Amino acid sequence: MLQLAQISDHKRINELAFQIHGMHVGWRPDIFQMPEELFSRELLEELINKRQMYVANVDGAIIGYVMIAIRDVLETGFVRRKVLNLEQICVDENCRGQGFGKQIMED
């Protein structure tokens, strides 16, 4: 289901991101505002190069995405290890409630 995003996914990723961001703007317009674009081509290219942006593909259609970050834990008192942070997850509003979010997390 998950595959590394491609720069050609730029438009679709932004469409999905606007679905989520629109909810935030509606809930808290005092904090959030609606920009023209949430993921620039440059940012998406950087995320792809760092292997941090993946799309959920079902039957040839992108129905979601997940953005991750992997960091090294180097703090004193902790065992050195790598930690994966889930930065963003999005499932198309028309596909929610069908288990796709769970599949994304399992992938």
Side-chain angles (χ1 to χ4, degrees), residues 45-57:
E45 188 170 4
E46 180 182 330
L47 292 169
I48 291 167
N49 288 337
K50 291 180 178 178
R51 303 185 64 79
Q52 293 179 321
M53 178 66 82
Y54 294 82
V55 293
N57 192 314

Side-chain angles (χ1 to χ4, degrees), residues 3-106:
Q3 58 193 44
L4 185 63
Q6 303 295 314
I7 199 67
S8 58
D9 301 329
H10 177 252
K11 181 180 176 186
R12 181 62 177 145
I13 289 170
N14 269 291
E15 290 170 353
L16 292 165
F18 275 118
Q19 290 179 9
I20 300 299
H21 194 73
M23 290 190 298
H24 290 98
V25 171
W27 294 327
R28 294 296 307 267
D30 58 316
I31 297 175
F32 297 96
Q33 61 183 355
M34 193 59 79
E36 289 184 32
E37 183 175 62
L38 288 161
F39 290 98
S40 67
R41 291 182 78 80
E42 294 78 19
L43 174 58
L44 181 58
E45 188 170 4
E46 180 182 330
L47 292 169
I48 291 167
N49 288 337
K50 291 180 178 178
R51 303 185 64 79
Q52 293 179 321
M53 178 66 82
Y54 294 82
V55 293
N57 192 314
V58 175
D59 298 328
I62 295 173
I63 58 98
Y65 71 84
V66 63
M67 188 171 75
I68 63 168
I70 298 174
R71 66 180 181 86
D72 290 312
V73 174
L74 304 171
E75 291 92 8
T76 302
F78 289 88
V79 175
R80 290 184 73 161
R81 66 192 187 284
K82 291 191 181 293
V83 175
L84 184 140
N85 289 331
L86 179 63
E87 301 290 326
Q88 293 184 26
I89 183 171
C90 176
V91 174
D92 186 293
E93 60 193 359
N94 298 312
C95 298
R96 294 181 192 149
Q98 300 175 43
F100 292 119
K102 181 179 178 180
Q103 284 182 272
I104 289 170
M105 292 301 294
E106 288 174 353

